[in-house]
Amino acid sequence: MDVIKVEGVSKSFGDFPVLQRVSFTVAQGEVVAIIGPSGSGKSTLLRAITHLEVIDQGSITLAGSVMVQDGVYAPAAVLRRVCLKVGLVFQNFNLFPHFSVLRNITEAQIHVLHRTKEEAEARARNLLEKMGLWEKAATYPCTLSGGQQQRVSIARALALDPEVLFFDEPTSALDPELTGEILMVIRSLAAEKMTMVIVTHEIAFARDVADRVLFMDGGVFIESGPAEDLIDHPQLERTRTFLKRVKGLG
């Protein structure tokens, strides 16, 4: 079953086309990594699927619910329900600095899912323990390392029980030592068959964790395939050139 179906999605900023009739699907439990040079449209695509950007043309269906069909968006009430099916982890954490770690994770549960405070805190505790951060529940984001903040942001996204989780360069703001913390968390989610789409420059990680890799350049997917096949044996010269320039792959 396809959890994500993107068909002919286009998006321009002014006269500059960022996405050009992009189409792809993601099956339930699949992990898809999107790689490519900066400015190729990867983050814009994630923002479009999570309704942080409005597309110009195309259709997007999430978990069987139509978000936008032929450029026409569903009514606001339907959009709210559809958007609850997805979670997005940002590269810069986006935690509320004036909320404790615990409140960062409970706030949306209470106001969006209408859980009681006790239910929300129980869910938060479970996730923070999973992330190895329950002892930080009463602290504030500014007291945490970058890796810890990103783990909190992952817990916050998971707290709303999304059917698919998106990551937009989840390690780009971290130094190499802290990057390992986040990659371990994502690996554990992949082992649990969480449906995920990951925009990343961590090519070795994409090869190790993803089921499939899509290479984006100039607002289009120019090559796709099983992760190891595409990264170890790319078919197109443009893909080979990009991979050779990525640190760690020659």
Short mmCIF file of all heavy atoms in Angstrom, two decimals, residues 45-86:
data_model
loop_
_atom_site.label_atom_id
_atom_site.label_comp_id
_atom_site.label_asym_id
_atom_site.label_seq_id
_atom_site.Cartn_x
_atom_site.Cartn_y
_atom_site.Cartn_z
N LEU A 45 10.32 20.06 -1.73
CA LEU A 45 9.43 18.92 -1.93
C LEU A 45 8.85 18.45 -0.59
O LEU A 45 7.64 18.21 -0.48
CB LEU A 45 10.17 17.78 -2.62
CG LEU A 45 9.36 16.50 -2.85
CD1 LEU A 45 8.14 16.77 -3.72
CD2 LEU A 45 10.24 15.41 -3.47
N LEU A 46 9.69 18.30 0.43
CA LEU A 46 9.20 17.90 1.74
C LEU A 46 8.21 18.92 2.30
O LEU A 46 7.17 18.56 2.86
CB LEU A 46 10.37 17.73 2.71
CG LEU A 46 10.77 16.28 3.01
CD1 LEU A 46 11.17 15.56 1.72
CD2 LEU A 46 11.90 16.23 4.03
N ARG A 47 8.51 20.19 2.13
CA ARG A 47 7.62 21.23 2.63
C ARG A 47 6.29 21.23 1.87
O ARG A 47 5.24 21.53 2.45
CB ARG A 47 8.31 22.60 2.52
CG ARG A 47 9.49 22.75 3.49
CD ARG A 47 10.20 24.08 3.30
NE ARG A 47 9.33 25.21 3.61
CZ ARG A 47 9.12 25.69 4.83
NH1 ARG A 47 9.73 25.14 5.87
NH2 ARG A 47 8.32 26.72 5.02
N ALA A 48 6.32 20.87 0.61
CA ALA A 48 5.08 20.78 -0.15
C ALA A 48 4.22 19.62 0.32
O ALA A 48 3.00 19.75 0.48
CB ALA A 48 5.40 20.64 -1.65
N ILE A 49 4.86 18.48 0.58
CA ILE A 49 4.10 17.31 1.01
C ILE A 49 3.52 17.52 2.41
O ILE A 49 2.43 17.01 2.72
CB ILE A 49 4.98 16.04 0.97
CG1 ILE A 49 5.48 15.78 -0.45
CG2 ILE A 49 4.21 14.82 1.47
CD1 ILE A 49 6.50 14.66 -0.54
N THR A 50 4.21 18.26 3.25
CA THR A 50 3.72 18.52 4.61
C THR A 50 2.91 19.81 4.70
O THR A 50 2.60 20.29 5.78
CB THR A 50 4.89 18.57 5.61
OG1 THR A 50 5.85 19.54 5.18
CG2 THR A 50 5.57 17.21 5.71
N HIS A 51 2.59 20.39 3.56
CA HIS A 51 1.72 21.57 3.43
C HIS A 51 2.32 22.82 4.07
O HIS A 51 1.61 23.69 4.56
CB HIS A 51 0.33 21.28 4.01
CG HIS A 51 -0.71 22.29 3.60
ND1 HIS A 51 -0.82 22.75 2.29
CD2 HIS A 51 -1.69 22.92 4.30
CE1 HIS A 51 -1.81 23.61 2.22
NE2 HIS A 51 -2.35 23.75 3.41
N LEU A 52 3.64 22.91 4.06
CA LEU A 52 4.30 24.15 4.46
C LEU A 52 4.58 25.04 3.25
O LEU A 52 4.95 26.20 3.40
CB LEU A 52 5.61 23.84 5.20
CG LEU A 52 5.43 23.13 6.55
CD1 LEU A 52 6.80 22.80 7.15
CD2 LEU A 52 4.62 23.97 7.52
N GLU A 53 4.44 24.46 2.06
CA GLU A 53 4.49 25.21 0.81
C GLU A 53 3.27 24.82 -0.02
O GLU A 53 2.82 23.67 0.04
CB GLU A 53 5.75 24.89 0.00
CG GLU A 53 7.06 25.34 0.62
CD GLU A 53 7.31 26.84 0.51
OE1 GLU A 53 6.46 27.54 -0.11
OE2 GLU A 53 8.32 27.30 1.03
N VAL A 54 2.73 25.76 -0.75
CA VAL A 54 1.59 25.50 -1.63
C VAL A 54 2.11 25.25 -3.04
O VAL A 54 2.89 26.05 -3.57
CB VAL A 54 0.62 26.70 -1.63
CG1 VAL A 54 -0.52 26.47 -2.63
CG2 VAL A 54 0.06 26.92 -0.23
N ILE A 55 1.71 24.14 -3.63
CA ILE A 55 2.20 23.80 -4.96
C ILE A 55 1.40 24.54 -6.04
O ILE A 55 0.30 25.02 -5.79
CB ILE A 55 2.17 22.28 -5.21
CG1 ILE A 55 0.73 21.76 -5.23
CG2 ILE A 55 3.01 21.55 -4.19
CD1 ILE A 55 0.62 20.30 -5.65
N ASP A 56 1.98 24.61 -7.23
CA ASP A 56 1.31 25.26 -8.36
C ASP A 56 0.48 24.26 -9.16
O ASP A 56 -0.62 24.59 -9.64
CB ASP A 56 2.35 25.90 -9.29
CG ASP A 56 3.19 26.95 -8.57
OD1 ASP A 56 2.65 27.65 -7.70
OD2 ASP A 56 4.40 27.04 -8.88
N GLN A 57 1.00 23.06 -9.31
CA GLN A 57 0.32 22.02 -10.08
C GLN A 57 0.59 20.66 -9.44
O GLN A 57 1.55 20.48 -8.70
CB GLN A 57 0.83 21.99 -11.53
CG GLN A 57 0.61 23.24 -12.32
CD GLN A 57 1.23 23.14 -13.71
OE1 GLN A 57 1.65 22.08 -14.15
NE2 GLN A 57 1.30 24.27 -14.41
N GLY A 58 -0.28 19.70 -9.77
CA GLY A 58 -0.04 18.33 -9.34
C GLY A 58 -0.98 17.87 -8.24
O GLY A 58 -1.89 18.60 -7.82
N SER A 59 -0.74 16.63 -7.79
CA SER A 59 -1.60 16.00 -6.79
C SER A 59 -0.74 15.33 -5.72
O SER A 59 0.34 14.80 -6.01
CB SER A 59 -2.50 14.94 -7.45
OG SER A 59 -3.28 15.52 -8.49
N ILE A 60 -1.25 15.35 -4.48
CA ILE A 60 -0.57 14.70 -3.35
C ILE A 60 -1.62 13.97 -2.53
O ILE A 60 -2.63 14.55 -2.11
CB ILE A 60 0.16 15.71 -2.45
CG1 ILE A 60 1.23 16.48 -3.24
CG2 ILE A 60 0.81 15.00 -1.26
CD1 ILE A 60 1.87 17.62 -2.46
N THR A 61 -1.38 12.68 -2.30
CA THR A 61 -2.26 11.86 -1.47
C THR A 61 -1.43 11.28 -0.34
O THR A 61 -0.35 10.73 -0.57
CB THR A 61 -2.90 10.72 -2.29
OG1 THR A 61 -3.65 11.28 -3.36
CG2 THR A 61 -3.83 9.89 -1.42
N LEU A 62 -1.92 11.39 0.89
CA LEU A 62 -1.22 10.89 2.07
C LEU A 62 -2.12 9.91 2.82
O LEU A 62 -3.24 10.27 3.22
CB LEU A 62 -0.84 12.04 3.00
CG LEU A 62 0.13 13.09 2.43
CD1 LEU A 62 0.29 14.25 3.40
CD2 LEU A 62 1.48 12.46 2.13
N ALA A 63 -1.63 8.70 2.99
CA ALA A 63 -2.35 7.66 3.74
C ALA A 63 -3.79 7.54 3.26
O ALA A 63 -4.72 7.41 4.06
CB ALA A 63 -2.29 7.95 5.23
N GLY A 64 -3.98 7.59 1.95
CA GLY A 64 -5.30 7.41 1.38
C GLY A 64 -6.17 8.64 1.33
O GLY A 64 -7.29 8.60 0.79
N SER A 65 -5.71 9.75 1.88
CA SER A 65 -6.48 10.99 1.89
C SER A 65 -5.86 12.00 0.92
O SER A 65 -4.65 12.23 0.95
CB SER A 65 -6.52 11.59 3.30
OG SER A 65 -7.15 10.71 4.20
N VAL A 66 -6.69 12.60 0.09
CA VAL A 66 -6.20 13.55 -0.90
C VAL A 66 -5.98 14.91 -0.26
O VAL A 66 -6.90 15.51 0.30
CB VAL A 66 -7.20 13.68 -2.07
CG1 VAL A 66 -6.73 14.75 -3.05
CG2 VAL A 66 -7.36 12.34 -2.79
N MET A 67 -4.73 15.39 -0.32
CA MET A 67 -4.41 16.74 0.14
C MET A 67 -4.70 17.76 -0.95
O MET A 67 -5.31 18.82 -0.71
CB MET A 67 -2.95 16.83 0.57
CG MET A 67 -2.47 18.25 0.86
SD MET A 67 -0.69 18.35 1.13
CE MET A 67 -0.59 17.64 2.78
N VAL A 68 -4.23 17.46 -2.16
CA VAL A 68 -4.40 18.36 -3.29
C VAL A 68 -4.55 17.52 -4.55
O VAL A 68 -3.83 16.54 -4.73
CB VAL A 68 -3.23 19.37 -3.40
CG1 VAL A 68 -1.89 18.68 -3.42
CG2 VAL A 68 -3.37 20.26 -4.63
N GLN A 69 -5.52 17.87 -5.39
CA GLN A 69 -5.78 17.14 -6.62
C GLN A 69 -5.75 18.11 -7.78
O GLN A 69 -6.54 19.06 -7.82
CB GLN A 69 -7.15 16.45 -6.55
CG GLN A 69 -7.51 15.62 -7.78
CD GLN A 69 -6.73 14.31 -7.83
OE1 GLN A 69 -6.57 13.63 -6.82
NE2 GLN A 69 -6.24 13.97 -9.00
N ASP A 70 -4.84 17.89 -8.71
CA ASP A 70 -4.71 18.76 -9.89
C ASP A 70 -4.60 20.23 -9.49
O ASP A 70 -5.20 21.12 -10.09
CB ASP A 70 -5.90 18.56 -10.82
CG ASP A 70 -5.96 17.15 -11.38
OD1 ASP A 70 -4.88 16.55 -11.59
OD2 ASP A 70 -7.07 16.63 -11.60
N GLY A 71 -3.81 20.48 -8.43
CA GLY A 71 -3.55 21.84 -7.99
C GLY A 71 -4.62 22.45 -7.11
O GLY A 71 -4.46 23.58 -6.63
N VAL A 72 -5.71 21.72 -6.85
CA VAL A 72 -6.81 22.23 -6.02
C VAL A 72 -6.76 21.53 -4.66
O VAL A 72 -6.86 20.31 -4.58
CB VAL A 72 -8.18 21.99 -6.69
CG1 VAL A 72 -9.30 22.50 -5.78
CG2 VAL A 72 -8.23 22.66 -8.05
N TYR A 73 -6.62 22.33 -3.60
CA TYR A 73 -6.48 21.77 -2.26
C TYR A 73 -7.83 21.37 -1.67
O TYR A 73 -8.87 21.96 -1.98
CB TYR A 73 -5.79 22.78 -1.33
CG TYR A 73 -4.29 22.76 -1.50
CD1 TYR A 73 -3.67 23.51 -2.50
CD2 TYR A 73 -3.48 21.98 -0.67
CE1 TYR A 73 -2.30 23.49 -2.67
CE2 TYR A 73 -2.11 21.95 -0.84
CZ TYR A 73 -1.52 22.71 -1.83
OH TYR A 73 -0.16 22.67 -2.01
N ALA A 74 -7.77 20.37 -0.81
CA ALA A 74 -8.96 19.93 -0.08
C ALA A 74 -9.43 21.05 0.86
O ALA A 74 -8.65 21.95 1.20
CB ALA A 74 -8.65 18.66 0.71
N PRO A 75 -10.69 21.01 1.32
CA PRO A 75 -11.17 22.00 2.29
C PRO A 75 -10.32 21.99 3.56
O PRO A 75 -9.65 21.00 3.88
CB PRO A 75 -12.60 21.53 2.59
CG PRO A 75 -13.00 20.74 1.38
CD PRO A 75 -11.74 20.06 0.91
N ALA A 76 -10.34 23.11 4.28
CA ALA A 76 -9.47 23.30 5.44
C ALA A 76 -9.61 22.19 6.47
O ALA A 76 -8.61 21.71 7.02
CB ALA A 76 -9.76 24.66 6.08
N ALA A 77 -10.83 21.75 6.75
CA ALA A 77 -11.03 20.69 7.75
C ALA A 77 -10.38 19.39 7.32
O ALA A 77 -9.80 18.66 8.14
CB ALA A 77 -12.53 20.49 8.00
N VAL A 78 -10.46 19.09 6.03
CA VAL A 78 -9.83 17.87 5.50
C VAL A 78 -8.30 18.02 5.56
O VAL A 78 -7.60 17.07 5.94
CB VAL A 78 -10.29 17.61 4.06
CG1 VAL A 78 -9.55 16.41 3.47
CG2 VAL A 78 -11.79 17.37 4.01
N LEU A 79 -7.80 19.19 5.21
CA LEU A 79 -6.35 19.42 5.25
C LEU A 79 -5.80 19.20 6.65
O LEU A 79 -4.72 18.62 6.82
CB LEU A 79 -6.02 20.83 4.78
CG LEU A 79 -5.97 21.07 3.27
CD1 LEU A 79 -5.72 22.53 2.98
CD2 LEU A 79 -4.90 20.19 2.62
N ARG A 80 -6.52 19.67 7.66
CA ARG A 80 -6.05 19.48 9.04
C ARG A 80 -5.92 18.00 9.37
O ARG A 80 -4.94 17.58 9.98
CB ARG A 80 -6.99 20.18 10.02
CG ARG A 80 -6.84 21.69 10.06
CD ARG A 80 -7.53 22.29 11.26
NE ARG A 80 -8.99 22.14 11.18
CZ ARG A 80 -9.80 23.02 10.61
NH1 ARG A 80 -9.29 24.11 10.06
NH2 ARG A 80 -11.10 22.82 10.59
N ARG A 81 -6.91 17.21 8.95
CA ARG A 81 -6.86 15.77 9.23
C ARG A 81 -5.72 15.11 8.46
O ARG A 81 -5.02 14.24 9.00
CB ARG A 81 -8.19 15.12 8.86
CG ARG A 81 -9.35 15.50 9.76
CD ARG A 81 -10.52 14.54 9.60
NE ARG A 81 -11.07 14.55 8.25
CZ ARG A 81 -12.02 15.35 7.83
NH1 ARG A 81 -12.54 16.25 8.67
NH2 ARG A 81 -12.48 15.27 6.60
N VAL A 82 -5.53 15.52 7.21
CA VAL A 82 -4.46 14.93 6.40
C VAL A 82 -3.10 15.26 6.99
O VAL A 82 -2.22 14.40 7.09
CB VAL A 82 -4.56 15.42 4.94
CG1 VAL A 82 -3.36 14.93 4.14
CG2 VAL A 82 -5.85 14.95 4.30
N CYS A 83 -2.92 16.51 7.41
CA CYS A 83 -1.62 16.93 7.92
C CYS A 83 -1.25 16.23 9.22
O CYS A 83 -0.06 16.11 9.56
CB CYS A 83 -1.58 18.44 8.09
SG CYS A 83 -1.55 19.34 6.51
N LEU A 84 -2.25 15.75 9.96
CA LEU A 84 -1.97 15.01 11.19
C LEU A 84 -1.39 13.63 10.89
O LEU A 84 -0.86 12.98 11.80
CB LEU A 84 -3.25 14.86 12.02
CG LEU A 84 -3.66 16.08 12.85
CD1 LEU A 84 -4.99 15.82 13.54
CD2 LEU A 84 -2.58 16.41 13.89
N LYS A 85 -1.47 13.21 9.66
CA LYS A 85 -0.94 11.90 9.29
C LYS A 85 0.57 11.91 9.12
O LYS A 85 1.19 10.87 8.97
CB LYS A 85 -1.60 11.40 7.99
CG LYS A 85 -3.11 11.17 8.09
CD LYS A 85 -3.69 10.82 6.73
CE LYS A 85 -5.19 10.64 6.78
NZ LYS A 85 -5.57 9.37 7.41
N VAL A 86 1.17 13.13 9.10
CA VAL A 86 2.61 13.23 8.84
C VAL A 86 3.30 14.02 9.95
O VAL A 86 2.69 14.86 10.61
CB VAL A 86 2.89 13.89 7.48
CG1 VAL A 86 2.21 13.14 6.36
CG2 VAL A 86 2.46 15.35 7.47
#
